[in-house]
Amino acid sequence: MREIQFREALREALSEEMRRDKNVFVMGEEVAEYNGAYKVTQGMLDEFGPERMYDTPIAELGFAGLGVGAAMNGLRPVIEFMTFNFSLVAIDQIINSAAKIYSMSAGQYSCPIVFRGPTGSAGQLGAQHSSNFENWFANTPGLKVVVPSNPYDAKGLLKASIRDNDPVIFMESEVMYGDKGEVPEGEYLLPIGVAEVKRKGKDVTIVSFGKMMKVALEAAEELAKDNIEAEVIDLRTVRPIDYATIIESVKKTNRCVIVEEANPIASLATDLAFNIQKSAFDYLDAPVLRVNSMDIPLSYAAQYIEATLPNVKRTIEAVKKVCYK
């Protein structure tokens, strides 16, 4: 099977869906003439033209609102935020319009729109460009929230998101756009709301998503050297969450560690820990532990970034703690 970059997998998903459905279009800052800030949309202006590839001013509230209106009228917009930190400028359109219009209109209007772009830390970009809002959007009924960790999942989930009749928040990572992975030539879609066991194990369950899957899988490799076999689950979507896959794993391993880049207060890891103890309490041999970012704004300094974000060392320490080693 061929290997392509994360950005190429996203581009293929967008292009295939635009060829399949003339109602799909892309709108955002620098998506057309500049070929995308992260080159996800490279070459798409040449194929689809300015009628379907729209460059916008730096005005997220404006073009997100245009997208919501277009979706309510039968089109399928894909709105690119240069970073989800900037989605806060448009959060009223996302939360109070896109997410709620189906309910508020008693089903008369749907809003098939995708908001996509990078989330979380991408290195030394400072606190205002390094936030994680997956848990914010996952807290909103009416939205679906997808956070892929590899090119194969990214393509299949983005295609499914574009075809979905509900608004979808599709969150990527700047530091993953160049990652390579196996992606088949033919068309495929992946279901939203289904997690995947990326590594089998029997001693502890590690749950993660997005770029933190790299931390989880590397930690599992290191733990194997100490004869601790970790089962690693990639959520892939954080609204809805596939609790069935998680609970089935925890009933087998009897221990769980959750790795998430967001700050700990009201995090997805908090909700996961609650639901695991609610549904699998009698199977747990240790408390569920979370590995989150430290509860501070992310610094610019590299050494502080390393100390703040979840990493392999902290994940291994948490696993050994629940394994009483």
Side-chain angles (χ1 to χ4, degrees):
M1 191 183 298
R2 66 186 178 142
E3 281 198 347
I4 63 173
Q5 291 183 338
F6 198 104
R7 62 167 57 89
E8 293 174 307
L10 294 172
R11 186 186 309 138
E12 284 191 358
L14 288 167
S15 297
E16 288 175 12
E17 291 306 301
M18 289 178 74
R19 293 178 196 126
R20 189 189 71 87
D21 185 348
K22 63 179 177 56
N23 291 317
V24 179
F25 68 92
V26 175
M27 179 186 295
E29 296 156 4
E30 300 183 343
V31 298
E33 294 286 349
Y34 188 66
N35 287 309
Y38 311 105
K39 300 301 176 263
V40 170
T41 53
Q42 188 169 27
M44 291 180 64
L45 176 63
D46 294 336
E47 178 174 357
F48 299 105
E51 297 81 13
R52 297 179 69 191
M53 296 293 299
Y54 291 95
D55 278 331
T56 68
I58 302 175
E60 287 79 9
L61 175 64
F63 64 78
L66 286 170
V68 171
M72 289 171 60
N73 281 279
L75 301 180
R76 290 184 175 270
V78 179
I79 304 300
E80 178 178 309
F81 294 125
M82 197 173 292
T83 161
F84 263 97
N85 294 274
F86 302 159
S87 73
L88 298 190
V89 182
I91 203 163
D92 182 62
Q93 295 289 359
I94 300 170
I95 303 299
N96 278 328
S97 296
K100 297 176 181 175
I101 193 62
Y102 184 82
S103 175
M104 291 176 64
S105 69
Q108 294 180 81
Y109 288 99
S110 60
C111 191
I113 187 171
V114 175
F115 299 98
R116 56 156 295 270
T119 182
S121 168
Q124 294 178 272
L125 298 180
Q128 290 182 328
H129 293 71
S130 303
S131 296
N132 293 83
F133 297 117
E134 297 93 339
N135 54 326
W136 289 35
F137 291 118
N139 189 250
T140 305
L143 296 178
K144 294 176 181 176
V145 185
V146 179
V147 195
S149 67
N150 60 78
Y152 175 83
D153 289 354
K155 180 176 179 179
L157 287 167
L158 182 54
K159 287 173 69 71
S161 298
I162 293 169
R163 297 189 194 188
D164 201 288
N165 288 326
D166 293 318
V168 178
I169 307 294
F170 197 95
M171 309 181 89
E172 305 143 13
S173 169
E174 270 181 70
V175 298
M176 291 176 65
Y177 285 128
D179 288 0
K180 286 190 173 182
E182 293 186 342
V183 178
E185 294 278 0
E187 181 179 85
Y188 66 96
L189 282 79
L190 294 177
I192 294 172
V194 178
E196 184 180 26
V197 177
K198 297 292 189 184
R199 179 189 175 108
K200 293 284 188 180
K202 60 181 177 58
D203 297 319
V204 61
T205 300
I206 302 177
V207 181
S208 192
F209 58 91
K211 75 169 180 284
M212 286 296 108
M213 280 299 299
K214 293 183 178 182
V215 172
L217 289 168
E218 187 177 341
E221 287 287 338
E222 292 299 315
L223 288 162
K225 298 174 184 177
D226 290 332
N227 296 315
I228 299 174
E229 293 298 325
E231 183 148 292
V232 183
I233 295 176
D234 185 350
L235 291 178
R236 301 200 290 194
T237 62
V238 298
R239 186 179 181 105
I241 291 176
D242 181 4
Y243 282 110
T245 296
I246 300 166
I247 299 304
E248 181 183 357
S249 176
V250 171
K251 286 181 176 180
K252 177 178 68 173
T253 66
N254 311 118
R255 298 170 175 84
C256 186
V257 170
I258 304 158
V259 183
E260 179 189 9
E261 189 177 345
N263 302 112
I265 303 300
S267 64
L268 286 159
T270 304
D271 188 73
L272 286 161
F274 167 77
N275 278 281
I276 291 166
Q277 66 83 22
K278 182 186 75 171
S279 300
F281 182 81
D282 291 337
Y283 294 86
L284 288 170
D285 289 338
V288 178
L289 294 186
R290 305 173 302 162
V291 181
N292 288 87
S293 289
M294 301 301 180
D295 200 19
I296 56 174
L298 193 66
S299 173
Y300 173 80
Q303 63 268 37
Y304 292 145
I305 294 173
E306 173 63 23
T308 302
L309 297 179
N311 55 38
V312 173
K313 180 176 181 291
R314 288 174 57 201
T315 303
I316 290 173
E317 288 172 353
V319 168
K320 288 187 174 181
K321 190 169 183 178
V322 300
C323 291
Y324 301 111
K325 290 190 177 183

